[in-house]
Amino acid sequence: MSGTKPLVEISMGIEAFASEWLHCDRISSYLARMVSHNRTDSLLYANLLSSALNELLETAFAHHGPEGNFSCRVSRLGDSDVIELDLPCDDMTLAFYRDAAQRLTQPDLAGIYHSALFSPGKPDPHLGLLEVAVDYRARIAIVAEKGNRLKLAAELTLEGAAA
Amino acid sequence: MSIDRSYQASFNENNQEFVIAGKLRPQSEDEMRPLAEALTNSLAQVRGTFYLNVKRLARLNNVAFRAITNLVSQVCDTRPELRIEVVTSSVMGWSTRKFLPLAERLPNVTVNEYDNDFYPGQSFLEEGGFIPILRNQTKLTWRHERHLLPRHGLKPGMTVADICCGIGDFAVLVQKELKPSHILALDHSRTSLDYARKVAAEFGIADIEYVYGDASEMVIEDNQFDFVTCRHSLQIFDRPELILKELYRICKPGGRVYITNEKNSHCLGEPRGESIQWTYTEVAKLFADFKMDVELGPKSRRYLADAGFEDILVDSFMVTNGDGDPQDFANMIQAWENVFAGEMARDRGDSPEFIARFRQGFQDQIYAALHPKGYAGWPIWAASARKPT
């Protein structure tokens, strides 16, 4: 996104990332703490950012292409922080994220999210993205890129929410 | 696949409270089975209201949330008479928002965000009106503490936490004069923290992190700090041992925790000593009525020992009208009178006669402080101890 200042980026092979569930928690906790130190309330901000980032990472953990590089970058845009996940994708992954992008434009997103949150049976695979869009009021952009790549960007303005 | 067991869960039958703390980010519902079983067993034991306490649950993913809420929903269906109160914390930021939709769906579930109501009496001390008192106090005590802190183990380059930092002026003085590498300053008053951040910004101080939090249940990880300070605060909590447990937890093994507290009935002055002594004996009783022990100072050794610390060092010092400008001392007493004989005495329902006599003792101490041959004093106990390695 234009005007953003990159703060920190973690990059690894998608196989390595998806080999261990704890990576989602570890990466989200570490990156959130790193970028929150100069926010008004660093602990509160880190807690919120980690929660949102973890949902995005858990989504990417479950839905990604078979091989290639995976990166997670956090950039600053004034009071906002932008999380960008760059991951390999195949046709199935692309369809999953296209469906998600389409759902995120629906009216009454909060209603859709709460229905998904309390639905019986298997969890809605878009639940994490819906939560980040509703509870954290993130602007989410999903863009397919050349070479079977996909970029998921979430712009979060947590500074006001954390004060 | 590794399972992260970084959560703690416990049930207290007496309070009918199930507490979940730490981090819950499982990959599958199977990983939730031990917690779900414990929660089911606890629910089976209660009648009336069941408290699900997630105040110190720092992280929760949707897998865990759905497992917990599915279980709560099932119990609500089968036991409509049971009330379930989810206790969240404003400190976490996300938890109230996450659990509120559950209360909207299930009529017997409520969500209660933990806040100042849990500390009766704290509002007197957390409102903006107390800021002048705190400013004066720190100015006066710093003359003594700047020499005491190195004796108690504070060295340049250390990582420091100042818990119950108030308006943050102590942290600023420590940062400027004693040069720790970093200070985290935590308080439960947003008014005080706003003031602290403003002051730090005005002085261009960037090495202090001011954070909102509850000293008795902090979100800070274990074993983080070389030196942990908590000044004039154990004495104004009804359960100081809970805060000491947290100070111990966040202190590194081998690090030290430093506390200061008063014994208000020992405030003194001459001339007019008798009136002054009567008033301060009454100050101690007034605070006791609001569940605060402003006589805690000399009990520091016992509290530190009971919390598991070793190498306990206790000092005491007397802040007096001879510490710089006597008017500063007099201003502090005036600020005390305004709050103690004002809002607090009124809230307790004290009679006008009592309040008049109560105020007189403060005025007599001010008289002693400003008298050319007078002496007025406020005793403080400074104690520190080491966390065993």
Side-chain angles (χ1 to χ4, degrees):
Chain A
M1 271 180 210
S2 62
T4 56
K5 279 191 215 161
L7 297 176
V8 61
E9 178 173 335
I10 285 184
S11 183
M12 65 181 85
I14 193 72
E15 302 96 325
F17 170 65
S19 67
E20 174 58 83
W21 177 253
L22 288 180
H23 287 156
C24 302
D25 172 57
R26 301 265 158 83
I27 293 171
S28 62
S29 299
Y30 176 75
L31 292 188
R33 188 71 186 118
M34 283 298 107
V35 304
S36 301
H37 71 96
N38 55 356
R39 289 302 197 184
T40 304
D41 190 318
S42 55
L43 284 185
L44 185 54
Y45 193 95
N47 218 28
L48 289 168
L49 188 63
S50 166
S51 297
L53 176 53
N54 184 65
E55 291 304 329
L56 299 178
L57 291 172
E58 287 189 8
T59 303
F61 186 95
H63 303 278
H64 57 78
E67 56 188 26
N69 196 52
F70 168 75
S71 70
C72 173
R73 179 192 302 137
V74 184
S75 308
R76 183 139 299 174
L77 186 65
D79 276 350
S80 304
D81 282 323
V82 180
I83 298 166
E84 287 171 292
L85 304 186
D86 191 346
L87 57 151
C89 70
D90 52 19
D91 291 346
M92 206 162 69
T93 314
L94 195 57
F96 168 83
Y97 285 102
R98 277 195 175 136
D99 283 352
Q102 200 273 328
R103 279 181 93 184
L104 291 170
T105 61
Q106 297 292 306
D108 189 24
L109 204 55
I112 295 171
Y113 163 54
H114 290 145
S115 293
L117 189 60
F118 296 106
S119 66
K122 271 182 77 175
D124 186 316
H126 296 142
L127 183 57
L129 294 174
L130 288 166
E131 178 180 6
V132 175
V134 173
D135 268 3
Y136 297 89
R137 295 187 183 88
R139 288 202 305 159
I140 297 177
I142 298 172
V143 181
E145 300 200 319
K146 276 189 252 171
N148 293 331
R149 307 282 310 167
L150 185 130
K151 188 170 277 181
L152 190 161
E155 183 182 339
L156 294 133
T157 308
L158 301 172
E159 185 69 325
Chain B
M1 181 183 71
S2 22
I3 295 174
D4 191 6
R5 295 221 183 275
S6 51
Y7 71 87
Q8 305 86 45
S10 61
F11 177 58
N12 182 326
E13 279 177 62
N14 296 328
N15 303 334
Q16 302 205 128
E17 184 179 52
F18 191 89
V19 181
I20 311 174
K23 187 159 59 179
L24 264 177
R25 284 178 170 174
Q27 185 173 8
S28 69
E29 275 207 40
D30 283 350
E31 294 168 43
M32 288 291 289
R33 200 168 293 146
L35 180 74
E37 281 172 9
L39 185 55
T40 304
N41 292 339
S42 306
L43 278 159
Q45 294 176 50
V46 301
R47 288 159 190 255
T49 303
F50 176 82
Y51 296 91
L52 178 60
N53 178 336
V54 294
K55 284 187 306 185
R56 273 196 62 199
L57 183 56
R59 311 265 201 262
L60 176 76
N61 70 359
N62 280 311
V63 176
F65 179 81
R66 281 168 54 87
I68 292 168
T69 55
N70 282 342
L71 211 151
V72 168
S73 300
Q74 285 166 23
V75 171
C76 287
D77 283 347
T78 53
R79 296 180 60 191
E81 81 293 350
L82 185 69
R83 313 290 311 167
I84 298 179
E85 183 172 322
V86 182
V87 185
T88 60
S89 167
S90 54
V91 171
M92 298 302 173
W94 58 266
S95 55
T96 306
R97 194 166 48 209
K98 184 83 184 175
F99 279 94
L100 264 179
L102 184 67
E104 287 161 12
R105 292 185 159 246
L106 301 172
N108 36 350
V109 172
T110 53
V111 175
N112 184 11
E113 190 172 81
Y114 170 85
D115 58 20
N116 287 358
D117 293 345
F118 290 73
Y119 290 121
Q122 282 292 291
S123 58
F124 297 118
L125 311 178
E126 291 192 343
E127 295 303 319
F130 214 75
I131 285 176
I133 299 185
L134 298 171
R135 281 182 63 177
N136 245 329
Q137 285 186 177
T138 307
K139 190 173 164 187
L140 289 162
T141 56
W142 183 248
R143 291 170 179 274
H144 300 267
E145 288 186 272
R146 65 195 299 187
H147 303 299
L148 276 178
L149 283 160
R151 175 178 143 73
H152 282 260
L154 178 55
K155 298 185 185 115
M158 282 184 160
T159 52
V160 174
D162 184 27
I163 306 305
C164 306
C165 68
I167 56 170
D169 47 355
F170 175 76
V172 168
L173 290 165
V174 169
Q175 183 66 36
K176 280 168 70 177
E177 296 198 25
L178 300 175
K179 310 289 182 205
S181 65
H182 181 79
I183 301 182
L184 182 136
L186 177 143
D187 203 88
H188 197 249
S189 163
R190 292 192 192 275
T191 315
S192 299
L193 287 171
D194 287 346
Y195 182 90
R197 291 186 186 116
K198 192 165 147 258
V199 170
E202 280 170 6
F203 284 89
I205 293 166
D207 298 330
I208 305 174
E209 276 184 81
Y210 288 104
V211 300
Y212 175 63
D214 174 3
S216 64
E217 296 197 307
M218 291 185 271
V219 191
I220 301 166
E221 288 167 27
D222 299 354
N223 308 322
Q224 293 292 303
F225 300 96
D226 299 306
F227 201 80
V228 179
T229 62
C230 183
R231 300 167 57 263
H232 302 280
S233 297
L234 297 181
Q235 61 183 33
I236 56 164
F237 283 88
D238 55 351
R239 294 182 65 191
E241 67 278 5
L242 292 183
I243 296 182
L244 267 172
K245 197 176 161 191
E246 282 290 271
L247 302 180
Y248 183 96
R249 184 180 66 76
I250 66 168
C251 185
K252 286 180 187 171
R256 291 189 77 86
V257 166
Y258 169 89
I259 58 174
T260 66
N261 291 283
E262 302 164 49
K263 184 173 173 71
N264 254 271
S265 64
H266 279 34
C267 285
L268 48 83
E270 286 297 341
R272 303 183 182 177
E274 207 171 306
S275 159
I276 296 167
Q277 195 177 10
W278 181 86
T279 284
Y280 281 99
T281 302
E282 291 300 323
V283 167
K285 291 180 192 168
L286 175 68
F287 273 77
D289 284 339
F290 288 102
K291 298 188 185 331
M292 297 183 251
D293 181 11
V294 289
E295 299 285 272
L296 194 144
K299 302 171 194 168
S300 302
R301 179 180 290 276
R302 167 167 62 84
Y303 273 111
L304 288 166
D306 289 350
F309 288 99
E310 60 187 22
D311 188 29
I312 299 169
L313 176 64
V314 182
D315 279 311
S316 61
F317 60 91
M318 181 78 82
V319 175
T320 77
N321 58 332
D323 290 330
D325 186 348
Q327 190 60 51
D328 284 342
F329 192 95
N331 291 344
M332 177 179 74
I333 306 305
Q334 186 59 62
W336 286 354
E337 183 194 329
N338 293 345
V339 174
F340 304 162
E343 195 181 355
M344 286 182 80
R346 273 201 309 276
D347 268 28
R348 190 172 61 163
D350 289 339
S351 67
E353 296 75 25
F354 174 87
I355 290 175
R357 189 179 174 197
F358 193 37
R359 284 188 182 278
Q360 189 57 50
F362 293 114
Q363 289 304 310
D364 287 339
Q365 200 186 21
I366 290 171
Y367 178 81
L370 298 176
H371 193 288
K373 295 179 190 172
Y375 179 84
W378 169 42
I380 311 283
W381 276 258
S384 73
R386 186 173 60 219
K387 179 174 175 175
T389 49

